[in-house]
Structure formats: structure tokens, C-alpha cells
Amino acid sequence: MEGQTAQQTAPGQAVDDPFAPLSLPPLAQISDFWKRYDRLADVHDKKMTSNLNGNLDVLLIFAALFSAINTTFISITMPDLSPNPSDETNTLLRLLVMRADNNTLTSADLSPPFSPNSSSVIVNCLLYASLSCSLLAAVGAMMSKEWLQSFDRTGQTGPLEEQARFRQRKFNGVEQWHLEAVIKFLPNLLLLSVILFFAGIGLFLFPINTAVAGIVIAFSGLGVFLSGVSIIAGALSPLCPYQSAASSALLRIAKALHSLWGVLRPAKALRIIKGMSGQVSKIFEITARRCLHLLRRSSLDPDPDSGSDSTSTPTSLHPRKDTNNKQENNQMVTAQAASWLLQTTSNRSDQLSAALFIRTLDEKACVLAFEESGTSQRLLSLAREALDVWSDQPNARNQEVAELFGLALCHLHRKASEDARRNNPHELFVRRGSSFSETFLEVLERTATRFAARGPEDEEYILHISFLGTIVIRDSVIREYQWAKLSRLILPPSTRNTADVLLGLWAIFVKAIGPGSTHFWPSYTLDELLEIGEKEEKLAEVLANAIFWSCETLSSIQNNAQSKPSAARGYTACFRKIRELPPPSASDRDNAGLGVADLISDYLDPLTTGSNPGETPLELVELSIEAVFGLRAFLDANPGPDTPSTSGSSPPQQLLNGRFINAAADIMVGNPQIPTTVPWERRPVKPRIIRILLWVWKNTPDTSIDDEEKDNIFVSSCRLFAPLEKEVESSQRSEFGEYEKPLTSDDLNRIIEFIEYTIKGRKSSALITHNADVGINRLYVHFDKRADWEYELFDMREQRSLCSRFTYVEDGLQ
């Protein structure tokens, strides 16, 4: 607030972690805010009251001494205002003598009526005015001490949140009724009293002795001149050390006159038409309206902890309306408390706590906070500062702080009504410039205008779109950008247009990280970035290019334990989204297929060896599944009617499922529609697909697979026995190519375990029906094993129920 500062922590209190509020859960953040508010308010109020009380004590002492001096001089000059008794005595003696001589008295012998000298009247007026001013200052000081005592919160009880709200109401009253300004005005009365005193003394001494009077007038004039210069200097410059109550008063008077001049100046032309009376009435109308507004804002609801009787009969006939009004008043007070803390403190942890709390405000509270220009401008300043710090020192902590202030800005902008934004000239985003923060604010404004935010999640979409959009537009790859929070926004299925835009921006960003570029190619405008979600062909192209560099990107962040799972979730979202879009161009599809082949061969395949089930992050297992789906999709952009579909936005409930095994089988069997001209189709990925399949199976708890899905897994697995046999046979060769990585002994053991898992719980009739008996025994030949089957002969004319084909034909399994 105006001219108010406060210490950051209470005396003797240790400085807390500046980023402590960021690690608290939501409910704890609200409680932490009120604790910080109560602590800072207590420090601020004690400092304000102690300073004012100290000034009042000095004022009382000076007023007492000065009044005594003034009274002494008044006792000297007071007799000049009444007749002198000795003059009356001399007149009476003269009359007696003249009576003794029997002389006749004339009018000249009588003394004229008494009339005090005009200079004596003026001197006494000045001295009495000086005494009155000093006494008024003393009385005002005593009353001010009572006012400050009523503002003291000592002995207040109740919940911390209610105490804080009650304090904010009282502080609002202090500001609305200008208590601090009134108290600071009291020294001006003493200053005026001193000036009047010197003027009276100089006028009193001048008839007596001009030399003495000249000395007094000279020194008093010099003092008045120097005091006036210091007062004017303090009013002109806030950095001038000669600040005083008179300087503040002079500055307020100057501002008031300037505002009044701005109001009256356009009325000069109207004064000719309407006359002076119309202008006077207008001024009175404005003044009355302002007074009514001040009185309306100063009315406070009774505080629940102020000692009021809760059992008293309500005076209102509409208790529900009173309750709503009280809730609205609490919301307004809450917004004022957040605004006060944000504007008062310079402690980073308090600022973060206030920003977190602002994100919890409802619409009415945000409108009030938006109308308070100091709140929005302070939040804007903090956001700009945090963004510039992050651009200079990009790390996770600085980015988290910048995102928090950005989210608070988005929330304030979303909740504030259009009327509030239109009627207030202090828009949130008004500055344009070349710095990172100013570019970000411009992008944030455009993004918030284009995509209407309906909830907190939309605010996060808008924030991260603005963040990535700013990085791309400025054409400077910031590799330290932390995208961990993006995965929970772009991975879940969403119909939001902002989700597609954010996924496209993420793909553009990681595409530049893969080859180690320092600039983005091609360059993008802001409109092109914001239209990615609406143009499916462009989005498919961007995602395909990102997938092409996926192996390099994941390898470059291999040592970052936090970014690696997040990047895996991002690429998982890319694979799922690109299957929903129209197929990209042939060149983009081939490049994406080559990228998936590299991802499977060089990054995912090494993860399948040397790790026990459960050790690998689940995100990488899911990425492996989506990579297989993606490779299958790029092999055949237009699957035939007999090809199991791998598209769909809804992910399976478990890792291992029939769809995934079908996709792996399609790749290993080889579909007639696979273009043989594609070079990466001939890459030896089939052994790697087998390892990924077995790895996924090992990382899928059997308890998470229901009976229906187990049937689907069995049916799909039957398609794998023939390609498995071929790969097992190929692994027994003595020579292999440069890029080949055949099945190892561990892989072969896992294959046997997988076959036994497939056989487990299945009747012979089911295995025979799907020709699994033949496929398993052909595969067992390479392991010197054999499975014995019991075959039954029957007469088709008898329609025996033991016929396996008849039993399972209901499932459509021929």
C-alpha cells in the first residue's frame, strides 16, 4: 500500500526456505498463507503503531513546553487589551483637585473611552492562535493514541483465518479513513503554531525596539525559509532525505489541486452556458457521491470473534441474504489480504505464498484484486522479474517460480470479468519489448485471448503454450527447460484444442534438442504456432519430425532422471495422437518409421536386457508399447480389413493386451501392404520386437489382466508362434550382420516361459482349434522339447459336444 514497507521476518525469527511454499499440498498452502499474513501483519502493525506513538510522544512533549512559553508571552501582551488601572486612578485624582478649586469640569478633563491599540490586538490574536494550534495538536495526539490502541490486536482470539480477516477489515478502515495521514498532519499544527508565535513576537517587539525586533524577525524568517525549502524539496522528490509530515501534506494538496484542475478545466466552456451555479452544484454532487462511496466501503460486518452475542435476535428479515452478503464480504476481505501481502512484502517465500493463494480466489475476489491496480501491477512485475531470471539462469527452481507467477496472472485474468478489464486502464499485458519476459507476456495475452480458459487446467495449458511459444518465437533453444509438468497435460486423452497445440509445441521443442540445435528450423510465427491444433496435416508433420529425432533426444537426456520419464510420456502422447490424424506425407511417414526403428533398436532394446521386472520406469514400458504400435502404423498407413486396428485414443487398461501382441505379430509376420521400397523396412527389428514383447509381459502383473483379456492375449499369441520359430532358428546362425542383434539365451528362456504362460489354463481343444499345438511343437523342436496332445476322433454325424471346433466357434475362433 501507499508508502508502507515492513520487515520480512519477526525479530529473532530464522529466515525460512524461500521456496518452501512450492512443496506444500494445496490445503497446507492456504494455511501457510494465513500464517505468513498474520506474521507480517503483526510486524507491520507494530512498526506502524510504534512509529506513530513515538512521534505522538514527541509531539505531546513539545506541545506542552511550547504552550507554556506561549502562555508566558500572552501574560505580557494581555494587559494591552484592557484599560490600565493607574490611568483611572490619575483621572479620579484630577477630578478631586478640580472639585476643590470649585472649577467647572469640561469634557476635555474627562478621560476618553478605552480602545486597545490595533497592533496589540493583532499580536494577541497571533499568540492566541498559536496557543490554540498547539493545544489542538496535543488533544489530537491524545485521541490518536486511543485510536492506535483500538487498532492493537493484543488479546484477539479465534481461528487464525478469522483473526486475519478481522485485522484486514480494521486495516481497510485505517486506510479508508486516512488515520495515518490524520496523525501525520498533527505536527503541521505545531509548525503553524510556531510560525504564528514568531509573527506575534516580531510584531510585539517592533514598537518597543526595532533592533531587537529586527533580529527576531530575521532569524525567524530564516527558519521559516529553510523549513519551507525542506518541505518543498521533500514534496518534489521522494528520494529527498528532508521528508516530513508537511511534505506529505503539500504533496497531497498538489495532487488534489491537479485533479481538481483536470475536472474544472473542461468546464470552462460550459461555464459560459450553464453559469457558475451549475458548476458549483456539480462539485457538490461529486463530493457527496465520494463521501457516500467512502461510507459504504467503510461499513464492516460484525466479526464472529469480536465478542458479539451469537444468540441475539437477527434484525434482518432475510437471513439467507445476510449470509450471502457476509460470504461476499469475506471473499472481498480475503482478496484484500492477498493483495496487501503481495504489495507489502519483498520476501520471496511470502510472495510465492501470496501468488499460490491468489490462484484459489473466486471470481468476485479476483475482480476486486484486478481493480486494485497495485495488485495486478505488482504481480505483473514479479512475473516479469522471475521470467527474466529464468531466461538468464534456466533451472528447475527458477522455472517453477516463473510458472507460478504466470499461473497467478492467468487466473487473475480469467476470473476478472470483461467489464472489470475494460473499465480499468491498468491492463495486465500492456508493455512490448525485446526481453524474454515482455515477449512472454505478449504471447500470454494472445494465447489467453484466443483460447478461453474455463478452469485451472486450462490456465496451465495457456501458461505452458506461452512458455514454449516464447522459446520457439525467440529462436533460441533452451535445453534446460523442464517439461516434467507437461506430460500430465498432453498424455491423457483430451478434446481440448489447447492440448493439441501444446503437444505440437512440445514436438517442435524436442525436435531441436535431438540433433543438438541451437535454433529452431523452420522458423514459426505466433499465429502459426497457435493454429497447429486446428490444422491436422501440420500437426501430423510436426509429430512425425519429432518422432524421427526421438532416439537422439532420449539419449541426450539419458542422465536426467526427471526428464527421461517425462519425455517418454511425451513421445507416448505423440504416437497416440499421430494414429488419430490423417497419415502424413510419404516422406514424413518414412522418416518417422526410420525414427521409430532407431528408437526401438538403439534406445528401447538395450533397456530390455539387464533389468528385472519393476526396475524400469513404467513410462518407458508404455513408450515401448506405443513404439510398436507406431511402427505398425508407419508400415501400413492404410490397414486392410483383415488387419487388427491399432488406432484409438483410449489406452488399454493393462500393459500386455491383445492389441499390442497383434501389432507385434503384424510387424513380424510381414503384411502384404508393407512398401518394400522403404529402406528401414529391411532393418533387423524383429528380434528387438520379440524382446520388447517379452519385456512388457514381464513388467505386467498377472493380477492386472482379467479373463477376457487373457483370452485375447492367447488368441493373438497364436499368430506369434510361426515368426518366433523363424527368429529362434535365425539366432542359431554363426554369423550376423553389423546391425543385427539376434536372440540371446536369456531371450530363448523367456520365450519358453511365455509359451508356458500361454498354455497355462488352456484346454487341449483350445490349443488345437487355433493350431497352437502345431506351432508350439515346431517351436519346441529348437529347444529339444515336445508337448503331447490328446486327439479324439469323432463322427461329425453324431454332433458330439467334445468337438473342439464346435465348442469354440461361438468366440469366432476358427
Side-chain angles (χ1 to χ4, degrees):
M1 301 296 176
E2 182 180 357
Q4 293 173 352
T5 57
Q7 296 176 356
Q8 306 313 313
T9 54
Q13 181 178 355
V15 179
D16 56 353
D17 180 13
F19 307 104
L22 298 176
S23 58
L24 297 176
L27 292 179
Q29 290 174 357
I30 297 177
S31 176
D32 178 70
F33 166 79
W34 289 116
K35 290 179 181 178
R36 292 178 181 276
Y37 174 88
D38 182 74
R39 184 196 67 196
L40 189 61
D42 188 57
V43 174
H44 173 272
D45 295 346
K46 287 182 178 179
K47 181 180 179 181
M48 183 185 71
T49 54
S50 63
N51 290 341
L52 293 177
N53 275 317
N55 294 337
L56 292 175
D57 291 338
V58 175
L59 188 146
L60 284 171
I61 296 173
F62 181 81
L65 295 175
F66 183 73
S67 297
I69 296 173
N70 203 344
T71 304
T72 303
F73 278 91
I74 289 177
S75 65
I76 299 174
T77 60
M78 183 64 185
D80 294 338
L81 299 179
S82 59
N84 194 343
S86 60
D87 294 339
E88 292 293 334
T89 303
N90 293 333
T91 301
L92 292 176
L93 289 175
R94 187 182 300 110
L95 289 175
L96 290 175
V97 172
M98 294 178 69
R99 286 279 187 178
D101 296 339
N102 293 321
N103 292 331
T104 303
L105 295 176
T106 63
S107 58
D109 296 329
L110 299 176
S111 59
F114 177 78
S115 177
N117 190 1
S118 60
S119 62
S120 299
V121 174
I122 295 175
V123 168
N124 282 276
C125 288
L126 293 174
L127 293 179
Y128 271 105
S130 175
L131 179 61
S132 300
C133 288
S134 62
L135 292 178
L136 284 176
V139 172
M142 290 188 298
M143 296 181 66
S144 298
K145 280 186 165 292
E146 295 180 358
W147 299 337
L148 294 176
Q149 185 65 31
S150 67
F151 182 67
D152 189 11
R153 294 195 298 158
T154 304
Q156 183 177 334
T157 59
L160 182 61
E161 183 175 347
E162 294 299 331
Q163 291 185 44
R165 284 201 181 101
F166 183 59
R167 181 266 170 192
Q168 185 62 39
R169 290 189 180 97
K170 295 176 68 175
F171 185 76
N172 292 341
V174 168
E175 286 205 325
Q176 291 164 7
W177 290 99
H178 306 286
L179 174 63
E180 192 171 359
V182 170
I183 294 177
K184 288 184 177 180
F185 179 74
L186 295 178
N188 296 330
L189 287 177
L190 280 181
L191 181 60
L192 177 61
S193 177
V194 172
I195 294 174
L196 294 174
F197 175 77
F198 278 116
I201 292 300
L203 189 58
F204 172 74
L205 293 176
F206 195 80
I208 299 175
N209 192 303
T210 56
V212 176
I215 293 176
V216 172
I217 292 174
F219 280 99
S220 60
L222 179 62
V224 171
F225 174 76
L226 294 178
S227 300
V229 170
S230 65
I231 291 171
I232 295 174
L236 292 177
S237 174
L239 301 179
C240 179
Y242 308 129
Q243 298 293 331
S244 63
S247 300
S248 302
L250 181 61
L251 183 61
R252 291 191 184 94
I253 293 173
K255 290 181 178 180
L257 292 176
H258 183 270
S259 301
L260 185 62
W261 173 252
V263 173
L264 296 180
R265 203 172 165 189
K268 289 182 178 180
L270 297 176
R271 196 177 295 127
I272 302 175
I273 302 173
K274 297 182 178 180
M276 186 62 72
S277 59
Q279 293 301 319
V280 173
S281 63
K282 184 178 179 180
I283 293 174
F284 274 109
E285 181 182 356
I286 294 174
T287 305
R289 193 175 298 169
R290 174 61 182 167
C291 292
L292 289 175
H293 177 69
L294 185 61
L295 290 172
R296 191 181 297 113
R297 291 189 62 186
S298 63
S299 59
L300 304 178
D301 287 344
D303 184 71
D305 298 317
S306 59
S308 59
D309 187 5
S310 59
T311 62
S312 59
T313 305
T315 58
S316 175
L317 298 179
H318 305 283
R320 180 177 298 179
K321 184 176 180 180
D322 291 343
T323 302
N324 294 336
N325 291 337
K326 187 172 182 179
Q327 292 176 352
E328 292 180 3
N329 183 270
N330 285 337
Q331 294 168 2
M332 294 175 61
V333 172
T334 300
Q336 291 168 345
S339 301
W340 179 86
L341 180 61
L342 190 67
Q343 297 179 61
T344 303
T345 184
S346 59
N347 183 286
R348 177 59 82 185
S349 59
D350 293 340
Q351 293 170 352
L352 294 176
S353 181
L356 287 167
F357 189 76
I358 286 176
R359 293 199 62 203
T360 65
L361 298 180
D362 60 5
E363 182 175 351
K364 292 183 179 180
C366 284
V367 170
L368 179 64
F370 190 86
E371 291 176 349
E372 292 284 345
S373 61
T375 304
S376 56
Q377 294 300 325
R378 177 61 171 165
L379 191 59
L380 186 64
S381 175
L382 292 173
R384 183 180 291 112
E385 175 189 351
L387 288 165
D388 288 335
V389 168
W390 177 81
S391 64
D392 294 336
Q393 302 175 1
N395 56 52
R397 183 63 74 185
N398 290 339
Q399 180 177 333
E400 192 173 7
V401 173
E403 288 178 353
L404 174 59
F405 288 125
L407 285 173
L409 271 178
C410 290
H411 182 77
L412 198 63
H413 187 270
R414 177 177 70 88
K415 288 290 187 178
S417 63
E418 295 183 2
D419 293 338
R421 294 196 295 267
R422 183 171 55 253
N423 296 334
N424 289 273
H426 52 276
E427 289 290 340
L428 289 181
F429 319 111
V430 293
R431 296 184 59 184
R432 300 290 185 269
S434 58
S435 67
F436 183 90
S437 62
E438 290 167 344
T439 306
F440 171 84
L441 293 175
E442 180 181 359
V443 176
L444 181 62
E445 179 187 12
R446 294 275 301 277
T447 307
T449 304
R450 185 182 184 93
F451 305 109
R454 298 183 297 273
E457 195 173 37
D458 292 317
E459 296 171 4
E460 295 192 42
Y461 278 109
I462 291 174
L463 173 75
H464 292 293
I465 288 174
S466 304
F467 233 121
L468 285 174
T470 303
I471 295 174
V472 174
I473 289 175
R474 293 179 65 84
D475 196 24
S476 178
V477 180
I478 303 179
R479 301 178 62 86
E480 293 82 3
Y481 176 73
Q482 305 294 318
W483 61 63
K485 294 182 180 180
L486 298 183
S487 58
R488 63 183 179 87
L489 297 176
I490 61 180
L491 182 58
S494 176
T495 58
R496 291 183 174 90
N497 192 19
T498 51
D500 294 340
V501 176
L502 184 60
L503 180 60
L505 286 171
W506 184 86
I508 293 174
F509 179 77
V510 296
K511 175 202 168 185
I513 290 182
S517 303
T518 57
H519 300 281
F520 293 96
W521 188 89
S523 59
Y524 296 91
T525 64
L526 180 57
D527 291 332
E528 291 175 343
L529 295 177
L530 298 181
E531 291 174 356
I532 285 181
E534 301 172 0
K535 298 181 178 180
E536 294 184 343
E537 296 80 4
K538 186 64 178 178
L539 180 60
E541 176 187 349
V542 168
L543 297 181
N545 291 333
I547 292 173
F548 176 74
W549 293 103
S550 58
C551 182
E552 287 77 2
T553 301
L554 288 169
S555 300
S556 64
I557 60 173
Q558 181 67 31
N559 297 327
N560 193 329
Q562 184 178 6
S563 296
K564 184 167 60 175
S566 177
R569 289 192 292 267
Y571 281 114
T572 299
C574 288
F575 282 119
R576 291 178 181 174
K577 186 63 181 180
I578 201 171
R579 296 202 306 270
E580 301 175 9
L581 301 173
S585 63
S587 60
D588 289 335
R589 187 179 72 240
D590 293 344
N591 288 335
L594 180 59
V596 178
D598 289 339
L599 177 66
I600 292 175
S601 301
D602 300 336
Y603 186 79
L604 296 176
D605 184 47
L607 298 177
T608 62
T609 58
S611 61
N612 297 323
E615 292 181 354
T616 305
L618 183 63
E619 293 82 359
L620 294 176
V621 181
E622 292 178 346
L623 176 60
S624 302
I625 297 173
E626 294 300 328
V628 173
F629 280 129
L631 184 60
R632 174 64 187 86
F634 294 133
L635 281 172
D636 182 11
N638 299 295
D642 298 331
T643 304
S645 175
T646 60
S647 63
S649 59
S650 57
Q653 298 297 324
Q654 53 278 326
L655 297 176
L656 187 68
N657 56 84
R659 286 175 50 201
F660 170 61
I661 296 178
N662 271 328
D666 287 341
I667 298 173
M668 297 182 62
V669 170
N671 195 290
Q673 301 181 29
I674 295 177
T676 57
T677 58
V678 179
W680 53 265
E681 187 270 334
R682 298 186 294 272
R683 291 175 65 87
V685 296
K686 294 182 179 180
R688 295 170 170 85
I689 296 294
I690 294 174
R691 275 190 287 270
I692 290 177
L693 172 64
L694 298 174
W695 184 50
V696 172
W697 168 62
K698 280 293 186 179
N699 283 275
T700 304
D702 189 59
T703 55
S704 65
I705 307 177
D706 54 24
D707 294 336
E708 181 180 358
E709 192 60 43
K710 286 182 179 180
D711 292 336
N712 296 332
I713 291 173
F714 165 71
V715 174
S716 301
S717 300
C718 292
R719 302 180 59 209
L720 285 173
F721 295 138
L724 278 177
E725 178 192 0
K726 183 177 180 180
E727 292 302 321
V728 170
E729 183 178 1
S730 298
S731 66
Q732 297 175 354
R733 296 188 319 219
S734 58
E735 295 182 0
F736 300 96
E738 180 182 359
Y739 297 103
E740 288 185 307
K741 190 176 181 182
L743 299 175
T744 63
S745 58
D746 292 337
D747 298 333
L748 298 178
N749 293 332
R750 287 187 180 182
I751 290 175
I752 295 176
E753 295 176 4
F754 180 73
I755 294 174
E756 293 175 352
Y757 169 80
T758 305
I759 300 175
K760 183 180 179 182
R762 299 292 166 184
K763 296 180 180 180
S764 299
S765 57
L767 295 165
I768 296 170
T769 301
H770 296 87
N771 295 326
D773 54 343
V774 178
I776 291 174
N777 272 326
R778 287 177 61 90
L779 190 57
Y780 271 177
V781 169
H782 301 281
F783 300 100
D784 296 331
K785 296 184 67 175
R786 178 175 177 82
D788 295 327
W789 312 98
E790 296 181 1
Y791 299 95
E792 297 186 24
L793 299 178
F794 57 92
D795 190 349
M796 289 291 295
R797 292 172 297 178
E798 298 180 5
Q799 298 291 323
R800 295 183 61 182
S801 59
L802 292 179
C803 176
S804 59
R805 297 180 67 84
F806 177 80
T807 303
Y808 286 88
V809 77
E810 297 177 356
D811 298 333
L813 307 175
Q814 300 295 337

